[in-house]
Amino acid sequence: MSTITTQLAIVGAGPAGLCAAIAAKEQDPDCEVLVLDRMPRAGNKIYATGNGRCNLTNLHQTPDCYHSDSAKDPFSYLGGIGAREVFSFVEGLGVRLYDRDGYVYPKTNQASSVALPLVHRAEDCGAKIQTGVRVTGIRREGRGFCLLAREEKKGGESLEIHALSLLLSCGGMVSRAFGDAGDGAKLAASLGHQIIPLLPALTYLATSAPGMKVLAGVRANGACALYADGKPVGKSEGEIQFTEGALSGIPFFQLSHAAGRALAAGKKLEASVCFLPDEKKTPEELLLERLALVPANRTAADLLLGLVSSKAASFLLRGHGIADEKKLRGLTGKDLLPVFAGLFDCRFPVTGLGPAEHAQVSAGGVDLREVDVKTLASKRVPGLYFAGEILDLDGICGGYNLTFAFSSGLRAGRAAAQFLRK
Ligand SMILES: Cc1cc2nc3c(=O)[nH]c(=O)nc-3n(C[C@H](O)[C@H](O)[C@H](O)COP(=O)(O)OP(=O)(O)OC[C@H]3O[C@@H](n4cnc5c(N)ncnc54)[C@H](O)[C@@H]3O)c2cc1C
C-alpha cells in the first residue's frame, strides 16, 4: 500500500473538481492539491456533453432553471457565479465561445476544446491529477481526512491518502460509462451527511399507453404537461419525440425531475400532449371547420391531414376506435369530438423514468441544508467541501448543469484554499 500526503484532496476530476483545483491553486499557489479520478482520463464526461459539442452554459438564467428537493431557492447556490462568469472563465482558458439563442458552445463545436484546456490549466497551476484511482472510503483523522483508494487497473495497488481538507466532486449516479456509480453520495453519507435519494433526471418518461407502436418515430412540436394525482406539476414545450414505450425529447427531459419525484411518492402520473399549441380554436370549432372543408366521401384520416402527422392521426383515431380509412359519412360529430379533444390534450399514463444510463444528470444528492450557500462548505464537518452534481441540485436541459458544476467548483475550491490558509 502506498501512502500519499496532500493539503487538499479533490475526489472527482469532472468539470466541478477541475474548476475547484484551478480556483484553489489560483487562490493559494502554495496549496498542495491532489485530484483523484477513477476514470482513465480527467474531464471524461465533458467529452459527451451537448452531443459532443458541450453546451457549457446558457445566458438565460432564472431561478426556475434549477431544481432541488432540499433547498427552497436552489438558484442562490450559484452564489452569483452564473453564465457570464462561466463564459469569461472558459474564455480565459483560451477557448473561443459563441451563443445561439443563449445556449453557449465552444466555437470549434468540440467538447474536447473545453475538457482539455480545463485539465491543462489545472496541471499548469500545479495541481496533481491522478486518474484510474477509485476512492472507496473516507474517515476523519484528527482535523483532516484519510482516504482509502485503489487503482482501477487489474491487480492495482491500494492507496492511503492523508489530506487536511477534502472536496467531494464525484458526481451523481447516472452513466456508469462516465464513472458515476453513486460513490459520491455514499462517501458523503459516511461522513455524516444526509442524502436526498438519487434519481435519474433529464431522461425520457416510460408510458404504458396502448397503441404506442404507431406513434414510434414521430417528432412533433407541441406542448406537454404533467399531472400527479390529477394536479399539474409541470409543463414544457418543444420537439416531442415518441418511441414505442416512451415520451422523449427536450420537453419531457425538462419534466423528468418532477416525474421522478412524483413516481417515488407513489402518485398516479399522467402526461398530456397538445399537438396544436398555437391553435386558437376550440376542439369543437376546429372539428366544425374541418367537416366543412373535407367532403363526406373522404376518410377519417383525411380529416386530420395537415394538422398532425399521419402516424399521430392514426394513433388518435385508433385510440377512439376509429379506423383511418373509415368514411366520414359513417361518423358523427360525437364520434369525432374526442379525437379533436385529443389534439389538444392527449393523455399518456407515465409508469417510470428512463434508466440511469440514458439520463444526463442525477436528481438528489447531498442535502443543501447541510451545505453553506456561499462556500459550499459542509456545515457538519470542518474542512469538507462539495461541488457539482454530488449536491442535491440539478438544472434543466440547456447548459445549466455544467454552469452549476463550474460555478460550484470555482467557489468551493477557493473556499477550501482559504480554509487551509487559516
Ligand atoms: C450524455 C450527457 C450529456 C450532457 N450534456 C450536457 C450539456 O450539454 N450541458 C450541461 O450543462 N450538462 C450536460 N450534461 C450534464 C453534465 O455533464 C454534468 O452535470 C456534469 O458533468 C457534472 O459535473 P461534476 O464535475 O459534478 O460531475 P462529473 O462530470 O460526473 O464528474 C465526476 C467525476 O468523479 C469521478 N468519480 C466518481 N466516483 C469516484 C470515486 N469513488 N473515486 C474517484 N473518482 C470518482 C468520475 O469518474 C467523474 O469523472 C450531460 C450529461 C451526460 C451524461
Side-chain angles (χ1 to χ4, degrees):
M1 170 169 329
S2 301
T3 303
I4 304 170
T5 303
T6 185
Q7 288 180 316
L8 172 61
I10 298 178
V11 186
L18 291 169
C19 285
I22 295 168
K25 288 301 283 184
E26 286 181 350
Q27 180 68 32
D28 179 0
D30 294 331
C31 175
E32 289 168 2
V33 178
L34 173 66
V35 192
L36 301 160
D37 200 291
R38 57 181 295 222
M39 297 306 281
R41 76 178 162 181
N44 191 46
K45 200 189 278 174
I46 304 173
Y47 290 84
T49 57
N51 285 327
R53 290 193 300 152
C54 185
N55 175 200
L56 65 106
T57 189
N58 198 305
L59 302 181
H60 167 83
Q61 294 278 332
T62 49
D64 57 354
C65 298
Y66 296 92
H67 304 292
S68 167
D69 292 299
S70 55
K72 283 203 183 79
D73 180 16
F75 195 47
S76 61
Y77 281 79
L78 273 90
I81 300 201
R84 296 279 168 203
E85 291 75 11
V86 169
F87 197 106
S88 309
F89 170 74
V90 177
E91 280 212 323
L93 301 175
V95 186
R96 297 277 192 277
L97 303 174
Y98 74 95
D99 89 273
R100 192 187 304 136
D101 300 329
Y103 293 69
V104 178
Y105 298 90
K107 275 198 170 152
T108 57
N109 279 322
Q110 285 183 322
S112 56
S113 304
V114 177
L116 282 172
L118 262 180
V119 176
H120 291 172
R121 176 61 64 90
E123 287 170 344
D124 296 344
C125 287
K128 283 198 192 107
I129 302 178
Q130 210 164 331
T131 54
V133 173
R134 183 175 189 174
V135 175
T136 51
I138 300 171
R139 60 167 195 267
R140 296 265 14 222
E141 187 179 60
R143 288 185 173 184
F145 302 86
C146 174
L147 283 70
L148 304 172
R150 66 177 155 66
E151 291 175 341
E152 287 278 69
K153 67 178 181 219
K154 210 171 166 199
E157 212 191 342
S158 296
L159 307 170
E160 207 174 73
I161 299 128
H162 302 274
L164 298 175
S165 179
L166 172 66
L167 195 149
L168 292 179
S169 52
C170 29
M173 52 80 90
V174 299
S175 324
R176 273 172 190 269
F178 302 112
D180 289 346
D183 285 6
K186 287 180 204 143
L187 294 173
S190 75
L191 290 167
H193 272 273
Q194 178 84 14
I195 303 299
I196 304 297
L198 299 177
L199 285 173
L202 298 189
T203 184
Y204 64 78
L205 311 189
T207 177
S208 58
M212 284 298 285
K213 204 169 182 175
V214 70
L215 259 188
V218 169
R219 288 168 180 254
N221 278 313
C224 48
L226 208 57
Y227 295 88
D229 285 346
K231 293 198 184 105
V233 289
K235 56 183 183 176
S236 190
E237 256 188 72
E239 191 184 75
I240 298 166
Q241 294 173 25
F242 298 92
T243 65
E244 197 166 331
L247 306 164
S248 190
I250 288 177
F252 279 109
F253 279 24
Q254 308 293 38
L255 296 176
S256 56
H257 179 113
R261 289 295 171 223
L263 289 166
K267 296 192 175 161
K268 187 176 165 243
L269 201 61
E270 255 189 338
S272 156
V273 170
C274 171
F275 289 94
L276 302 174
D278 301 322
E279 180 59 54
K280 300 283 177 292
K281 294 193 167 63
T282 63
E284 293 83 356
E285 289 166 348
L286 190 61
L287 172 59
L288 287 176
E289 182 190 273
R290 302 299 287 194
L291 286 173
L293 191 76
V294 183
N297 61 343
R298 294 276 173 205
T299 64
D302 292 335
L303 195 66
L304 297 173
L305 258 185
L307 284 180
V308 283
S309 72
S310 52
K311 283 179 162 193
S314 288
F315 176 78
L316 289 165
L317 289 166
R318 289 181 202 181
H320 293 94
I322 301 172
D324 295 15
E325 58 283 1
K326 175 103 181 157
K327 295 285 184 207
L328 285 175
R329 68 167 60 89
L331 292 163
T332 63
K334 206 171 155 199
D335 297 327
L336 290 165
L337 190 55
V339 176
F340 274 67
L343 287 169
F344 293 82
D345 182 6
C346 183
R347 296 288 174 122
F348 299 82
V350 177
T351 49
L353 294 174
E357 309 85 79
H358 290 274
Q360 289 194 2
V361 73
S362 309
V366 174
D367 189 320
L368 290 181
R369 286 167 292 200
E370 299 179 345
V371 176
D372 183 81
V373 64
K374 286 204 182 101
T375 60
L376 304 163
S378 161
K379 291 181 186 170
R380 285 185 170 270
V381 184
L384 173 63
Y385 294 80
F386 299 102
E389 209 176 304
I390 189 173
L391 290 160
D392 172 34
L393 191 155
D394 54 291
I396 60 169
C397 204
Y400 298 95
N401 287 296
L402 284 173
T403 304
F404 181 63
F406 280 94
S407 160
S408 56
L410 290 172
R411 282 177 297 133
R414 203 172 297 143
Q418 279 166 353
F419 167 85
L420 285 166
R421 271 232 140 152
K422 278 184 207 153

